[in-house]
Structures are given as C-alpha cells and as structure tokens.
Amino acid sequence: MTASPVVFADRMLSLGLARVSEAAAVASYKLVGRGDEKAADQAAVNAMRNQLNLLDIKGVVVIGEGERDEAPMLYIGEEVGTGNGPEVDIALDPLEGTTLTAKDMPNALTVIALAPRGTLLHAPDVYMDKLAIGPGYPRDVVSLEMSPSERIEALAKARGCKPDDITVCVLERPRHEEMIAEIRSTRAAIRLITDGDVAGVIHTAEAQRTGIDMYMGSGGAPEGVLAAAALKCMGGQMWGRLTFRNDDERGRATKAGITDFNRIYARDDMVTADVIFAATGVTDGSIVAGLKHEPGWIEAETLLMRSRSGSLRRITYRNPTSRVDI
C-alpha cells in the first residue's frame, strides 16, 4: 500500500515559521548600527538555518542567498528541516536590508515564506520589473505594459480620485530616474526608499496605514517572490517580469527552469498555492516594530500571515537575553 502524502498543515507550521523569523532577527540585534553588513547577515543566516532544522518538514530553499558554492549562506537547493513532515518550498531573506541594519535605518526585516513543494517560482538572482497595488481594485486595473503615468491615471480612476491623490513607492536608484520624472509629471506623490523593496510592496496592502497606493520599479527577483507571498496573504495584485543585463544572467534563468524570458508573472503565478509568511522587525519600520532591548531583556515583533485563512497576527516575543530560547 502506498503511503499517503503528508498534508501541508499551514496552521500547525505557522508558529514554527514565526520562531524561525524571530531567531534571525534576535541574532542580529547586537549588530544594528555597527556598520558591518556581512556580520549582521551571517548572524541572521546562522540562526535561521538552525531554527529551520528544528521544523518537522522536508524543506528545500528555492529563494535563498545564492548558489551552493556560496555557502555558508542559505543557498538555493539547500535541504532543511528534520525530514519528517510535508515537502515544502522555502523562500527567505535572513536579513532584508543589510545596509539598513548596519546604518540603523528603518524597515530592516527578517523574512521567510513556506509553501507546498513546487509552488513557489524559482526566481534567479536577477532583476525583476515589479508593479503592485493593494486589495479592493478590479482585476488587472493596471499592468506592466502601461507606462508609469498610465498606471497612475488608471488607479486614480478606479479609486475615484485625482492622480495627485496617489502615492507611489519607488526604490531610489539611478535606473529609476526617468520613471520618477514621469510619475512626478502626473503630480502623484513619491515615497522613495533606499532599500528593502519587500517592505515597499507590502506597504500597498495597508494603504490606509502606510499611505502608499502603488509600488513600481525594478529590484531583485527573489525579493519579488517573497513580496508576492505576502500579498497572497494580505490581498492585492502584483506583477513581475524578469530583466537581464547579460548572457550570464540569462544563463542563471535557464538553470532555474525559466524558458520564456519575456513572461509577465502575476502574483498567483509566482505563488501558486497556499503560503505562510513571517517577517520580524530588526529596525523600526511601518510594518513592524524593530528590536527593543533593555538591560536583561530583548523584545521583537513578528507579522505572521496565512493565505488560506487570510489571517494576520502580530506577535510580540519577549525573553531574557541571558537565556534567549526561541
């Protein structure tokens, strides 16, 4: 008799995933503002790997920190978990915003998503042109094929407002200068961020809280999949298209199984099944509070979400620093 496959018990796994995210954040707290990006990232990686290996899963990292030869990072293809439990894909960024952490700037996070095996896009480490809006709009009201100004006009019409009531989040990079100029020509507002575009996309799902209606621009493709996982839990629409600067990057895409280099991926193309998402604040931000420490204690806040139920929890973890036990 063939054994039945192990069910993806997202409700039971969710608290374990929160512990993974919390462990990575807590491990980096002594490095906030210390100017050492690599040390902060490595501390988060080590803690995240250790905690993942305590989970009863057969996990494979599909969005990680590079190829196997770049270990000791959590590399793409690395197997994690006890080996007892459901087969799952894992997308992670042990420290989303290493520069933000090193400089003690807002919105540094530890981020992880977990879904059934074969349901997360294996995005190569290249750029992705991204567009995201929050929930409550007609399907495909905006698209990557529109110009930036057309997107703003279409969203304003759908919202019943003027373009100058729209706020767009954009990663501040020289490659976005023309796009920024076009956005400003519509009189829409722009929220520029220096790093951390996973947080930038998440902001669109909480527009009343963050004031951000739309995210657009290019950033890392792996971060695009993580952002899509968050929006699948929170609601909202997202699209991404891989962009390539050279043949080496096209080779990476081919190795990852990408055959159509011009394909536009909608949110549910990047995350095709139910997903769990967790993010813990390292520095203060508009999504979660950063780490707080006082003599003898450390406190962290985690955002934990499940797409199946649409549930969103904010968890406060507080423990003595002398015996931190995630």
Side-chain angles (χ1 to χ4, degrees):
M1 180 181 293
T2 304
S4 299
V6 181
V7 176
F8 177 65
D10 61 324
R11 186 171 181 272
M12 299 300 293
L13 287 169
S14 59
L15 184 56
L17 201 70
R19 287 192 174 107
V20 173
S21 182
E22 288 166 354
V26 169
S28 64
Y29 92 96
K30 287 187 177 179
L31 293 154
V32 173
R34 308 295 179 178
D36 194 336
E37 297 180 18
K38 290 184 177 179
D41 193 39
Q42 191 65 65
V45 166
N46 293 344
M48 185 169 276
R49 175 185 280 123
N50 291 342
Q51 198 66 33
L52 274 170
N53 284 328
L54 297 177
L55 288 184
D56 283 330
I57 55 171
K58 296 179 181 177
V60 174
V61 176
V62 299
I63 299 291
E65 293 213 312
E67 304 295 334
R68 183 169 186 165
D69 59 4
E70 296 174 22
M73 298 302 173
L74 275 158
Y75 59 83
I76 297 167
E78 182 171 351
E79 296 181 1
V80 293
T82 65
N84 302 313
E87 296 185 352
V88 297
D89 283 350
I90 298 168
L92 53 83
D93 192 338
L95 193 54
E96 159 76 349
T98 54
T99 301
L100 300 176
T101 302
K103 295 181 178 181
D104 196 5
M105 296 173 66
N107 283 320
L109 305 166
T110 59
V111 185
I112 187 165
L114 189 148
R117 180 70 53 84
T119 63
L120 296 181
L121 177 67
H122 294 208
D125 188 14
V126 300
Y127 281 135
M128 175 185 279
D129 192 16
K130 305 171 192 176
L131 175 64
I133 57 175
Y137 293 106
R139 184 180 177 88
D140 298 327
V141 66
V142 294
S143 76
L144 278 175
E145 283 139 341
M146 292 177 174
S147 68
S149 58
E150 288 172 337
R151 297 168 189 167
I152 290 164
E153 290 165 4
L155 191 67
K157 183 178 180 181
R159 227 186 85 177
C161 67
K162 296 179 180 179
D164 61 8
D165 293 319
I166 298 294
T167 298
V168 184
C169 184
V170 179
L171 195 60
E172 188 173 19
R173 295 291 186 272
R175 63 180 178 271
H176 291 151
E177 286 176 359
E178 288 185 13
M179 182 181 73
I180 289 170
E182 184 173 346
I183 293 170
R184 287 200 165 125
S185 74
T186 69
R187 302 184 66 82
I190 298 176
R191 178 86 56 84
L192 290 172
I193 56 174
T194 58
D195 289 282
D197 66 347
V198 173
V201 172
I202 292 174
H203 286 154
T204 66
E206 296 187 309
Q208 288 186 330
R209 180 178 177 184
T210 65
I212 292 173
D213 303 291
M214 182 186 301
Y215 178 93
M216 69 172 87
S218 65
E223 290 83 356
V225 177
L226 279 161
L231 280 198
K232 192 171 182 89
C233 296
M234 303 177 82
Q237 301 178 58
M238 181 176 175
W239 302 265
R241 176 171 49 205
L242 301 177
T243 61
F244 307 98
R245 294 172 294 181
N246 50 51
D247 289 339
D248 176 65
E249 292 189 349
R250 293 183 184 89
R252 288 187 212 171
T254 300
K255 185 177 178 181
I258 305 296
T259 56
D260 183 355
F261 289 176
N262 298 309
R263 179 177 176 180
I264 292 176
Y265 296 90
R267 184 199 71 186
D268 291 347
D269 297 323
M270 291 186 268
V271 185
T272 63
D274 286 316
V275 65
I276 318 167
F277 178 93
T280 302
V282 175
T283 59
D284 275 331
S286 50
I287 298 172
V288 285
L291 297 166
K292 301 289 186 294
H293 47 94
E294 56 189 77
W297 294 89
I298 186 165
E299 184 174 293
E301 184 181 30
T302 297
L303 179 67
L304 177 64
M305 304 185 290
R306 296 165 52 217
S307 66
R308 179 177 297 178
S309 63
S311 64
L312 184 156
R313 287 181 172 86
R314 294 184 181 275
I315 302 171
T316 299
Y317 163 78
R318 190 170 190 263
N319 214 21
T321 53
S322 59
R323 49 188 178 89
V324 169
D325 182 9
I326 301 290

